[in-house]
Amino acid sequence: MSDTKTLYTADVHVTGGRDGAARSSDGRLDVTLSTPGGPGQGTNPEQLFAAGWSACFQGAMGIAARAKGVTLPAGLAIDAQVELRQGDDGYSLAARLNVHVPGIDPALARQIIETAHRTCPYSKAIKGNIDAMVALV
């Protein structure tokens, strides 16, 4: 039996797939979905994943920085790319986080980023499942 406890459950109802809509049970998320690169309004699952991974990763960086006694700069930013790919084995994803940590020694920033990549739940979920890269830029 696992000793983990559930901290939060996201409850989202989706209709219409990539050309539909997504709404959370608490009403905080209510978005129109659209096919990547296609016409129409709304976002797509790849953009949502990029936003979610980036936000989670910044949180993990904060925890890693505090453990080292470091305050992350207000200018910390992450540019995320999530690619939808198609190959011989069907569809797949690839992802990259470009992490900007101004004002912090690059060696220390890399340590914080590496720790965050080991501890971020999104990073753990994709490890070994998709092509993923995290880089200090």
Side-chain angles (χ1 to χ4, degrees):
M1 185 127 206
S2 175
D3 65 347
T4 62
K5 68 179 180 177
T6 300
L7 300 176
Y8 174 76
T9 300
D11 186 3
V12 176
H13 182 76
V14 175
T15 56
R18 286 184 173 273
D19 291 310
R23 180 173 172 82
S24 62
S25 60
D26 63 6
R28 290 178 152 193
L29 176 74
D30 190 359
V31 297
T32 300
L33 300 171
S34 64
T35 303
Q41 300 298 311
T43 187
N44 59 64
E46 291 72 25
Q47 290 171 330
L48 293 170
F49 185 81
W53 186 24
S54 297
C56 184
F57 198 87
Q58 279 197 17
M61 285 182 66
I63 293 168
R66 280 190 297 280
K68 292 186 167 295
V70 174
T71 300
L72 291 174
L76 170 67
I78 297 177
D79 293 314
Q81 290 103 28
V82 173
E83 297 175 354
L84 176 62
R85 296 178 170 181
Q86 185 177 22
D88 292 339
D89 60 347
Y91 292 100
S92 64
L93 296 176
R96 179 182 178 96
L97 297 182
N98 291 314
V99 184
H100 306 268
V101 191
I104 300 248
D105 175 70
L108 178 58
R110 281 187 193 83
Q111 290 174 7
I112 292 168
I113 289 168
E114 289 168 7
T115 299
H117 197 38
R118 284 192 308 272
T119 59
C120 170
Y122 278 70
S123 293
K124 288 179 179 182
I126 63 174
K127 184 178 180 182
N129 294 312
I130 69 171
D131 289 335
M133 182 177 197
V134 178
L136 174 66
V137 293

